[in-house]
Amino acid sequence: MKTKPDPDSLLGHLVELRNRLLRCVVAVLLVFIALAYFARDIYAFLAEPLLAVLPEGASMIATDVAAPFFAPFKLTFIVAICVAVPYLLLQMWQFIAPALYHKEKRLMAPLVFSSTLLFYAGISFAYFIVFPLVFAFFTSVAPEGVTIATDISSYLDFVLKLFFAFGLSFEIPIAILLLVWSGSVTRQALAEKRPYIIVGAFVLGMLLTPPDVLSQILLAIPMCLLFEVGLWLSRFYEPKTTDDSPEEQQQ
């Protein structure tokens, strides 16, 4: 007769982790199946910022035989993961919440929610603000006589890289709040290092974006602004220091 694993044991935690990972996989697959029919429309929506600035008569191309099939479905699978992120975070939260103190739960719950919104905000900023400016710049500097014909797979890799860079950079306020709340760094120390952080933002913008100045600036400036936002919000998350009496310290 099989016995149910003790939920407090290592085996019990592993079983629960497996079950929650399976739920996450099933959720992503269900969303992917629901979106698969619209794969071509999703890719067309993604390609719209580039197609809007291409010269008349120019179009995107597929240099690989299977690219017209695989590129839209690859994008759809990634979109399915992004759509399922709230459920994935819920599963993660339900797994780690029992190990947290009440004060930690009160802090982590809004941070998990806000980090999701910030990641979506970074993706939206890249799509609606950065892409039109960057693609218009790229097409305007093309040499005379050069026909612009972007491969659909290369374009997908390019925009996914930018989505990841901007989505990750918009998490800066959350990172600052966690660092200050945990006591790893103080607000004063971060404020004193502001010049180095600004330089670091432009260096990261150079590393995370394509080798053009425009996209680097469009990433570095929001990172600097988000740093200031996180620095201002961190005043509400500073750990409280209390001077305990000797009697309290002995208890």
Side-chain angles (χ1 to χ4, degrees), residues 34-148:
L35 296 177
Y37 178 79
F38 307 98
R40 295 175 60 185
D41 296 328
I42 295 173
Y43 192 94
F45 178 76
L46 182 71
E48 187 175 344
L50 176 62
L51 295 176
V53 297
L54 285 178
E56 185 177 356
S59 63
M60 302 179 70
I61 62 173
T63 57
D64 188 6
V65 175
F69 175 80
F70 284 111
F73 280 100
K74 176 182 177 181
L75 172 62
T76 304
F77 182 75
I78 296 174
V79 171
I81 295 176
C82 294
V83 172
V85 160
Y87 181 79
L88 304 182
L89 291 177
L90 174 64
Q91 292 300 314
M92 181 189 72
W93 171 253
Q94 291 178 343
F95 179 74
I96 66 174
L100 300 177
Y101 293 106
H102 179 68
K103 181 180 179 181
E104 294 172 336
K105 290 180 181 180
R106 292 178 58 188
L107 172 70
M108 294 302 296
L111 287 184
V112 170
F113 177 75
S114 58
S115 63
T116 305
L117 293 181
L118 285 173
F119 187 78
Y120 288 155
I123 293 177
S124 301
F125 179 82
Y127 181 84
F128 292 105
I129 305 298
V130 177
F131 286 180
L133 295 176
V134 170
F135 295 147
F137 171 76
F138 285 162
T139 56
S140 65
V141 298
E144 187 71 24
V146 174
T147 302
I148 301 175

Side-chain angles (χ1 to χ4, degrees), residues 13-29 84 87-95:
H13 289 305
L14 292 177
V15 171
E16 183 182 2
L17 178 61
R18 180 202 63 184
N19 293 337
R20 296 200 180 278
L21 288 177
L22 287 176
R23 293 175 187 174
C24 293
V25 171
V26 171
V28 172
L29 290 178
Y87 181 79
L88 304 182
L89 291 177
L90 174 64
Q91 292 300 314
M92 181 189 72
W93 171 253
Q94 291 178 343
F95 179 74

